[in-house]
Amino acid sequence: MAHLLMVESWVGSMSRLLPRSIREAGHEFTFLTRDLHHYLRSAPEGAAHPLLAARHVLTTETNDTEALPSFVERAHELLRFDGVITSCDYYLRTAARIAGRLGLPGPAPEAVENACRKDATRRVLAEAGLPGPRFAVCADWAEAADAAREIGYPLVLKPVDLCAGMFVRRVDDEPALAHAYRALAGFPVNARGQRRDPVVLLEELLEGPEVSVETVSYGGTAHVVGVTDKSVGGAPAFIETGHMFPAALPPADTEAAVDTARLALKALGLDGVVAHTEIKLTADGPRVVEVNPRPAGNRITELIRHVTGIDLAAACVDVAIGREPDLRRRPTGLSSAAIGFLVPDTDGALEAIDGAGTVRAADGLLELQLADAGKAVKAAGSNNEYLGHVMAGDAQGLGARDRVEALLAELRPRVVAR
């Protein structure tokens, strides 16, 4: 039995999947957080939050990068950890540094740092010779305006240190660039109280379908679990509206995406990590969008489990304690699984979601999760504003996406103005 230190977590599905995987493997964990109430507010009604299954709950300022190492060292002397883990993007670097400080398994802290910073990822991949979009890192508005004229519109503006598509915008001209730049500048602190780096990343717009390559790197080898497709909407934002595993791609495109992901992981030096590498399949070949040194979000891990039997949350636990992960495929009865998200396009309050009864009774349904009546609704500008999701599978082939889209069409949110 191993004892893991879990440094913060997301409050969504991974806050449930990681504790489940730890428990099912016979391990235990101590949860370290700066604000336990952040998690209790999102606990399922009538149930204890899964993070409270921890052997211990420790509270300290996890954003204090100078004081935190000594606090964790003292805790390690008393509790003896075998690995360090987190599901939250904003603490991936912290977890890697702690593991390194304690001499525990884990990816190299510098590799995680470069993967978590979109500007650093671009620099490292360019230095390694991987083809990518033209880009510029800009410290102020004048620099951004000049760089945009040099790269040429349309382009994409990105924060270098946020996630979930927050403030990522397509811009087609200088007024649009100014609007996106000002919006990002008005968000100086992220949702976990960490001050953002104010620089912005400008990139040439990449055209083509987007996929992600799911890998588990262990012992110096990147093991490919599969390729997931992605549908995107909400322009000028880039909102993930759905996914299917496996992606319905020609074999040559699958092979090219996989090869590109492996090259990116090698360039970054990522090992001992579950990774989710997003790639655009452009007319000029595959191009890396970003490399995430953690399991995929948006319940992609569950799509993979439904189709292959592979549990990427469990693999994340295994590599965190230095054990070889179990990546054997098992029969599940499904050939594909897909998820579609209910994305709001207006502000107000949710009165109801009509059609839920029909969807719940549908064949092939794997999950239906919908927001409760009364929820404050905001027109989506990132992947944080969903009103729910539908997940379905197909036992015969790659029809799961079509099934999900048909079920989503049955759902009709009623949003009333406030």
Side-chain angles (χ1 to χ4, degrees):
M1 180 179 71
H3 183 196
L4 290 103
L5 175 65
M6 188 183 299
V7 184
E8 303 287 4
S9 170
W10 286 123
V11 295
S13 62
M14 270 298 162
S15 70
R16 292 154 175 76
L17 296 178
L18 272 183
R20 183 192 73 185
S21 295
I22 292 170
R23 182 181 66 252
E24 290 180 353
H27 307 316
E28 59 186 1
F29 70 98
T30 287
F31 186 53
L32 176 63
T33 179
R34 65 192 296 265
D35 179 13
L36 185 59
H37 291 285
H38 178 82
Y39 302 94
L40 298 181
R41 286 192 295 270
S42 67
E45 186 173 349
H49 197 288
L51 293 172
L52 294 183
R55 174 180 166 185
H56 306 283
V57 175
L58 307 179
T59 303
T60 193
E61 180 49 81
T62 52
N63 291 343
D64 188 341
T65 55
E66 292 188 4
L68 184 59
S70 58
F71 176 90
V72 171
E73 284 180 336
R74 292 195 300 273
H76 182 52
E77 290 175 2
L78 294 172
L79 304 176
R80 306 311 302 176
F81 305 121
D82 299 295
V84 186
I85 200 167
T86 185
S87 69
C88 182
D89 293 57
Y90 299 134
Y91 294 95
L92 291 168
R93 290 171 285 185
T94 301
R97 287 194 293 265
I98 290 173
R101 180 81 170 248
L102 299 182
L104 298 176
E110 182 182 4
V112 174
E113 179 80 29
N114 287 335
C116 288
R117 289 270 310 203
K118 295 179 176 66
D119 54 341
T121 298
R122 282 282 172 242
R123 173 182 53 78
V124 170
L125 298 188
E127 290 174 354
L130 269 72
R134 290 175 292 157
F135 70 95
V137 182
C138 309
D140 56 41
W141 164 248
E143 193 174 349
D146 288 344
R149 286 189 288 269
E150 182 175 343
I151 295 172
Y153 295 97
L155 49 78
V156 180
L157 176 144
K158 296 180 178 181
V160 299
D161 51 6
L162 290 178
C163 56
M166 294 184 67
F167 295 97
V168 179
R169 295 294 182 269
R170 170 179 172 146
V171 292
D172 292 308
D173 51 35
E174 191 162 303
L177 176 65
H179 177 77
Y181 187 94
R182 287 195 300 268
L184 178 56
F187 191 76
V189 178
N190 70 26
R192 295 308 182 94
Q194 299 167 340
R195 184 157 293 277
R196 288 188 45 254
D197 191 322
V199 303
V200 300
L201 177 63
L202 298 183
E203 295 181 355
E204 172 189 9
L205 179 69
L206 296 172
E207 300 280 7
E210 186 169 337
V211 300
S212 60
V213 181
E214 323 305 340
T215 55
V216 181
S217 295
Y218 180 80
T221 300
H223 303 272
V224 176
V225 175
V227 179
T228 312
D229 77 4
K230 177 189 297 188
S231 55
V232 179
F238 294 84
I239 300 171
E240 297 178 0
T241 59
H243 305 275
M244 186 173 78
F245 183 90
L249 293 175
D253 284 347
T254 298
E255 183 179 359
V258 165
D259 289 346
T260 299
R262 282 188 166 131
L263 289 171
L265 294 169
K266 182 178 180 180
L268 288 162
L270 283 169
D271 192 26
V273 68
V274 178
H276 168 72
T277 303
E278 298 176 346
I279 291 174
K280 279 274 192 179
L281 300 174
T282 76
D284 296 321
R287 300 290 185 264
V288 174
V289 176
E290 60 185 42
V291 180
N292 298 283
R294 43 82 176 159
N298 271 351
R299 299 190 72 73
I300 291 173
T301 57
E302 290 301 276
L303 300 182
I304 292 168
R305 185 177 62 84
H306 280 301
V307 174
T308 69
I310 296 171
D311 187 343
L312 285 180
C316 191
V317 173
D318 285 334
V319 297
I321 58 176
R323 294 186 182 177
E324 183 174 357
D326 183 0
L327 302 179
R328 293 172 296 171
R329 290 176 176 257
R330 299 167 176 83
T332 66
L334 291 180
S335 297
S336 64
I339 188 169
F341 299 99
L342 202 55
V343 181
D345 58 7
T346 187
D347 296 344
L350 182 64
E351 190 173 76
I353 299 178
D354 297 327
T358 300
V359 174
R360 285 194 181 94
D363 292 337
L365 181 71
L366 298 172
E367 288 183 14
L368 175 63
Q369 182 176 311
L370 300 174
D372 294 328
K375 174 183 172 64
V377 178
K378 178 183 177 184
S382 72
N383 298 334
N384 293 325
E385 284 90 28
Y386 300 136
L387 292 180
H389 69 256
V390 176
M391 186 187 294
D394 179 18
Q396 305 303 320
L398 299 177
R401 174 181 288 285
D402 291 342
R403 187 65 182 140
V404 161
E405 289 178 352
L407 294 175
L408 273 178
E410 296 285 347
L411 298 174
R412 300 174 299 281
R414 281 189 274 132
V415 178
V416 296
R418 286 191 162 183

